[in-house]
Amino acid sequence: MNLIGFAQTFFDDPTRWSGADGVPARLAEHVEYSLLALAIAMLIALPVGLLTGHTGRGGNALAALATAARALPSFGLLVLLTIMMGLGLTPVMVPLVALAVPPILVTTYEAMRGVDPALVDAARGMGLPWARVLWQVELPVALPLILSGIRSAAVQIVSTATIAAYVSFGGLGRYIVDGLSQVRYDKVVGGAVLVAGLALATLGVFWILGKALVSPGVRRSR
């Protein structure tokens, strides 16, 4: 049987659409893990990126931190934390957050540094305090690039949140892990298709956010 046949077998199963192991329930779990990890990563990375980008200080330290974080193996970190801390949500969140912080942090810093200095000087010349310069001048101009960093982090989280199933949590990774253990390749393929579809849906959500949040003038200049 080919991949299309496995996928059809998975999605044609009527029991796949209800109950605790149904697609809606597993999808909701996966989205919950992903949103929580993304929210934590944004709370950590956005303030640091905005502040360092505004001041122009700490760029080298951010680059080193991002490089170190990207080198962390998500699955290995999950296993290590589970051994140390036992089963729980924290060992799942830490690798996902560590994966998401670098793209948000570095992209936010670069976006702020890429704002035209003439705009910032003009705002300061008008007597605006630094907080208003940051929020009313720099942030709106930098927003498209900042959103691209958050989008990249979100897609990575959605794709990697399948590891939660390896430590007895739910999500779409449950189909992949259980399918491999049961030699049920229809479940493996079905789970992979769902994860890929959710990643594409995430890209669509951020495209809509970009249209809604970024001013038309900034979009045209881009």
Side-chain angles (χ1 to χ4, degrees), residues 43-59:
L43 286 173
I44 295 171
L46 283 178
V48 177
L50 290 172
L51 183 60
T52 54
H54 175 76
T55 61
R57 300 173 181 174

Side-chain angles (χ1 to χ4, degrees), residues 6-7 25-26 42 44 47 55 88 97 99 123 127 136 140-142 149 156 165 170 185 192 204 212:
F6 284 130
R26 294 304 186 196
M42 289 172 61
I44 295 171
T55 61
V97 171
L99 183 70
Q136 296 181 10
V141 176
Q156 291 182 52
Y185 296 115

